[in-house]
Amino acid sequence: MDRPRRHFGLVGRDTELAALRTALAEHRLVTVTGVAGVGKSRLALGAVAWPNDGPWEATVRIRWHDGVPAAPWALAARIARALDAATGAYGCSDTPDLPAAMRSLPGGTLLLLLDDVDPVHADCTRLVQSLLMSLPTLQILVTARRPLGLDSEHVLRLAPLETDAPSEGLSPAAELLHAQSVRRGRIMTADRAAVDRICALVEGVPLALELAAAQLEDSTVSRLVARLENGQCWLADPGPRTIRRHRSVRASIGAVHALCEPAVRKVWRRLSVFAESFAEQAAAFVCESTDLAPAEVPPALAELTAIGVLVRQEKPGAVREPRYRMTRAARDFAAERLAAAGESRAAQDRHARHCRSVASVAEALWSTGLQQQAVELVHDEHDDLADLMRRAALHHPYAEIVLETALHLWFWWAAHNRREEGAARLLALLPLLPADSPLTSRGQWLAGWLIAGSDPATSRRLLNLAWPTAVLTGDDALIGRIAHVHGTLAWQHNDLSAAAAHYRHAADTIPGDVPGGPTPTVSLAALAVVQTRTAPSHAARTARQALAQQAGSHDTWATALAHYACALADHHTGHAGRARHRTHRALAHLDARLDAPQAHAALRHLLDHIDQSAPPSPHRRAHPPAARATPEADQPDRREAGQARLETPPAMHDVF
């Protein structure tokens, strides 16, 4: 039996301490839950150490130090000894009898603190229920990683310390790190950003922060940050600690792992391949194997959530299935177990196939008109998709799967303002492909399109590499999309007649029902915008043709670009009111259906120009050189030849 002492070091826990004291004043059974190392025991001891030892005549603490499950009779005997000692009758400790000890208690209130009961969770639940029914004046405070599950139980969930720093001062997590460093005789002089990064990497868990402070005796803050970026299980305190599992992060998480069933352990370690949140279906796919059926995964997720290994993420009012995120310490530990089990390659293979499936589904959603759902899906899975692409640079067997994933995500790179990221991913993957890979030419085209605005020379080189394969295989979609990028490059170079010809070729060549890139609607919209400078009288007709495309009827992004072209044509032909109305309507339609930053910015900029009564130009230069000879439809309208040209908006070719 341990009698509680006054406990200090509750940094950043004033709110939680007050909440626990209030709960103890109002409820007979209170359980403090939280992840390993979050400070449950310290908070409980701080709450019961009131002046004059609180409102109880006696306080008894029982703690399981070693984390080894006890037999039911041993648990009952230990509680009996503690209660017997509380009565002052120490003579019967050799053969303790729980009912007798309970009957011998004085009439005053007794607080029984059952600390760290996870090793005896099920037996403790039954005994607590029996004690509460038999002793009306008994009050029980429990600390555990999950609640007991009793009806009368009041649960206080203890979260890690907040890591976001206020505008002035330190975050609670940084305060604890600083206090522990000072206690060890070291004053931290590192910049605040590095300290905040340490706190974020260990996710504000107090035990990890204390162990990190111990490392600062022999390491700099910047070096500690660098090591923590690669994991935190190695964190340990070289000094003596009363509780063995608190000597390192690995031991702390290992104590949780030791109490799990074998199936739960398998799910835990295999889920470590996820970089961020995941859905139940994804977990079942990645974890499935000959020794683990998909039906075993959902119960394991529930168990891992209950003990704090996973965090369940749900949006209020959302109809989508919940997602789960593994805490960083638990993921680092599980990755070690996965490697030790020899399962890393198999789990990573299944994760790569899952990411490819996600990208394929997202592209299918985009192509069938569910474009906002496609964007939300990619947003949810973005961290794992990015992590897969980083890993591909280290493991060449993943290169084709990852490139195929990147190709499915063309709309995310192009329409969601991610061109630079997409180009970097593709350019890193292309050299890793086998020489005869059928994906190479599509990858070259997409990289060339995404990089056209920032590196035209590399873009042309990539398009020239993709062109022969597109022609030899008779891939009309790829031929047309290469022509579209050539149109953008010509437009960027102010060769408007060539740009118009390329866009016309693209619109006539790209099939309307082939996924994998922009539809003919986008090429026609780009052509119409170019024609506002070369043939204003034809621009409106081309823009209406873009809107009439059957393939673009469910393509909100392409439709927004076509509406931009229509409004721009109206404005250039003197119909400012109609242009303003069309732009307002296009913005409302776009904002209601799709998060497309570039298209939104283009429409908003056009609206600003219309409101200022300044005829906008979609081109980079205010006075481009004279256009070369073009077909009749693209010849400059002589009625516009003398029109004054005012300040131009940013180049629209970056959008197309």
Short mmCIF file of all heavy atoms in Angstrom, two decimals, residues 25 53 60 72 100 201 255 322 384 399 454 601 604 607 651:
data_model
loop_
_atom_site.label_atom_id
_atom_site.label_comp_id
_atom_site.label_asym_id
_atom_site.label_seq_id
_atom_site.Cartn_x
_atom_site.Cartn_y
_atom_site.Cartn_z
N ALA A 25 -15.83 15.78 -5.96
CA ALA A 25 -16.81 16.33 -5.03
C ALA A 25 -18.24 15.93 -5.40
O ALA A 25 -19.13 16.01 -4.55
CB ALA A 25 -16.69 17.86 -5.00
N ASP A 53 -5.45 16.88 3.63
CA ASP A 53 -5.67 15.61 2.93
C ASP A 53 -7.07 15.46 2.36
O ASP A 53 -7.55 14.34 2.15
CB ASP A 53 -5.36 14.42 3.84
CG ASP A 53 -3.88 14.30 4.11
OD1 ASP A 53 -3.08 14.68 3.24
OD2 ASP A 53 -3.54 13.84 5.21
N VAL A 60 -6.40 5.80 0.57
CA VAL A 60 -5.57 4.63 0.32
C VAL A 60 -5.26 4.54 -1.16
O VAL A 60 -6.15 4.67 -2.00
CB VAL A 60 -6.29 3.34 0.78
CG1 VAL A 60 -5.44 2.11 0.44
CG2 VAL A 60 -6.57 3.40 2.28
N PRO A 72 -7.29 -12.80 -9.95
CA PRO A 72 -8.40 -12.13 -9.25
C PRO A 72 -8.26 -12.18 -7.74
O PRO A 72 -8.51 -11.18 -7.05
CB PRO A 72 -9.62 -12.90 -9.74
CG PRO A 72 -9.22 -13.44 -11.07
CD PRO A 72 -7.78 -13.76 -10.95
N ALA A 100 -14.69 -8.96 5.16
CA ALA A 100 -14.45 -8.59 6.55
C ALA A 100 -13.82 -7.21 6.65
O ALA A 100 -14.17 -6.40 7.52
CB ALA A 100 -13.56 -9.64 7.21
N LEU A 201 6.63 17.14 -32.07
CA LEU A 201 7.06 15.80 -32.47
C LEU A 201 6.69 14.74 -31.44
O LEU A 201 6.37 13.61 -31.79
CB LEU A 201 8.56 15.78 -32.73
CG LEU A 201 9.02 16.48 -34.01
CD1 LEU A 201 10.54 16.61 -34.05
CD2 LEU A 201 8.53 15.73 -35.25
N ALA A 255 4.64 -1.55 -22.68
CA ALA A 255 3.75 -2.04 -21.62
C ALA A 255 2.31 -2.11 -22.11
O ALA A 255 1.56 -3.01 -21.74
CB ALA A 255 3.85 -1.12 -20.40
N PRO A 322 -15.93 7.43 -40.04
CA PRO A 322 -14.85 8.04 -39.26
C PRO A 322 -13.49 7.59 -39.74
O PRO A 322 -13.34 6.54 -40.38
CB PRO A 322 -15.14 7.54 -37.83
CG PRO A 322 -15.89 6.27 -38.02
CD PRO A 322 -16.72 6.48 -39.25
N ASP A 384 -0.61 10.36 -46.86
CA ASP A 384 -0.17 9.02 -47.22
C ASP A 384 0.26 8.93 -48.67
O ASP A 384 1.22 8.23 -49.01
CB ASP A 384 -1.28 8.01 -46.94
CG ASP A 384 -1.24 7.54 -45.49
OD1 ASP A 384 -0.44 6.65 -45.18
OD2 ASP A 384 -1.99 8.09 -44.67
N ALA A 399 8.00 2.18 -58.18
CA ALA A 399 8.00 3.33 -59.08
C ALA A 399 6.79 3.35 -60.01
O ALA A 399 6.13 4.38 -60.17
CB ALA A 399 9.29 3.36 -59.89
N SER A 454 6.61 27.41 -65.34
CA SER A 454 7.82 27.75 -64.60
C SER A 454 9.11 27.37 -65.32
O SER A 454 10.16 27.97 -65.07
CB SER A 454 7.79 27.04 -63.23
OG SER A 454 7.69 25.63 -63.39
N ALA A 601 -9.73 32.32 -58.48
CA ALA A 601 -8.93 33.55 -58.53
C ALA A 601 -9.05 34.23 -59.89
O ALA A 601 -9.12 35.47 -59.98
CB ALA A 601 -7.47 33.23 -58.22
N ARG A 604 -12.48 35.92 -60.07
CA ARG A 604 -12.51 37.08 -59.17
C ARG A 604 -11.70 38.23 -59.75
O ARG A 604 -12.13 39.39 -59.70
CB ARG A 604 -11.96 36.65 -57.81
CG ARG A 604 -11.80 37.79 -56.79
CD ARG A 604 -13.10 38.51 -56.53
NE ARG A 604 -14.12 37.61 -55.99
CZ ARG A 604 -15.37 37.99 -55.79
NH1 ARG A 604 -15.75 39.23 -56.09
NH2 ARG A 604 -16.25 37.13 -55.30
N LEU A 607 -13.65 39.82 -62.52
CA LEU A 607 -14.74 40.65 -61.99
C LEU A 607 -14.21 42.00 -61.50
O LEU A 607 -14.84 43.04 -61.73
CB LEU A 607 -15.42 39.90 -60.84
CG LEU A 607 -16.69 40.53 -60.27
CD1 LEU A 607 -17.78 40.62 -61.34
CD2 LEU A 607 -17.20 39.72 -59.08
N ALA A 651 -1.06 36.42 -66.19
CA ALA A 651 -1.21 35.54 -67.34
C ALA A 651 -2.18 34.41 -67.04
O ALA A 651 -2.01 33.64 -66.12
CB ALA A 651 0.15 34.97 -67.71
#
